[in-house]
Amino acid sequence: MAREQDENGFARIALPHLDAAYSLARWLTRDEHLAEDVVQEAYLRAFRFFGNFRGEDAKAWLLAIVRNTFYTLHKQNQVQRLHEPFDDELHDAPVEAGAEGDDPQTLLARFTDAQAIRTAMEALPDEYREVLVLREIEDMSYKEIAAVAKLPIGTVMSRLARARKLLRTNLQCADEGR
């Protein structure tokens, strides 16, 4: 009975954050299949240690496990860096043709901009990319990011500032290269 309650409690707390876990893993690994492996391993670890969960922020708790799982596997060379293009179908909402102002030229410019942003983000060092993803994509607070990354809030803020500056520089370089 206790095991069943644990399973139900875990599912109730963990499953709503599965997309956020995959998103973070996808940005860290730069590969959809490796991201799936990292999330699977992270959720197994989270379930194993669910008894230690004390009701704090479940999303931050799970994303910290995803992050730690990535770095552990990366350190053990079980995660290889693959620099393949980001999968638009998985991560972007479909663009409907014929929407107001969406002529082919506008759609091409929007796609090119999105591609440039993805490329520029993938070029960021892991520690900058992760805080940028957690803040801008997952909309987490500095405090939540600090909990996930196990960093002081000041470090989160400085990494985020550096990440944004480096991203801007990468985008400017890409724009000049067109």
Side-chain angles (χ1 to χ4, degrees):
M1 185 71 171
R3 176 83 172 163
E4 187 177 313
Q5 287 175 339
D6 280 354
E7 289 174 9
N8 291 337
F10 180 77
R12 190 177 70 264
I13 288 173
L15 292 182
H17 306 295
L18 189 58
D19 288 341
Y22 178 78
S23 177
L24 177 60
R26 175 62 180 89
W27 279 107
L28 290 173
T29 63
R30 301 177 184 137
D31 177 84
E32 63 189 63
H33 301 294
L34 293 174
E36 290 169 356
D37 292 345
V38 167
V39 170
Q40 181 177 359
E41 179 64 25
Y43 267 63
L44 286 171
R45 290 176 183 191
F47 182 71
R48 203 173 311 133
F49 296 105
F50 185 62
N52 296 336
F53 179 69
R54 299 289 173 238
E56 60 269 13
D57 183 353
K59 183 177 181 182
W61 179 71
L62 283 162
L63 293 182
I65 294 170
V66 169
R67 177 189 180 273
N68 293 340
T69 300
F70 165 74
Y71 284 112
T72 299
L73 295 176
H74 182 64
K75 208 181 291 184
Q76 296 169 352
N77 291 323
Q78 293 180 17
V79 175
Q80 298 172 353
R81 302 254 170 205
L82 299 178
H83 297 283
E84 66 183 42
F86 200 76
D87 188 342
D88 291 319
E89 292 178 5
L90 286 175
H91 300 284
D92 289 338
V95 177
E96 298 198 15
E100 257 183 65
D102 283 347
D103 59 70
Q105 209 167 11
T106 303
L107 290 173
L108 179 62
R110 193 177 300 150
F111 173 77
T112 303
D113 290 345
Q115 188 71 20
I117 291 169
R118 272 189 229 88
T119 302
M121 281 192 62
E122 288 183 352
L124 295 174
D126 292 341
E127 61 272 8
Y128 292 162
R129 192 174 55 257
E130 76 180 357
V131 295
L132 196 61
V133 167
L134 292 171
R135 179 70 184 145
E136 303 302 337
I137 296 175
E138 295 305 323
D139 200 31
M140 296 182 85
S141 69
Y142 295 141
K143 184 178 179 181
E144 291 169 324
I145 296 168
V148 169
K150 293 186 174 95
L151 296 169
I153 290 178
T155 302
V156 169
M157 293 169 69
S158 66
R159 282 189 185 178
L160 192 53
R162 288 184 186 124
R164 288 174 175 153
K165 183 177 181 181
L166 189 54
L167 181 65
R168 197 171 17 258
T169 300
N170 290 350
L171 287 170
Q172 287 170 345
C173 291
D175 194 39
E176 291 170 1
R178 284 189 214 174

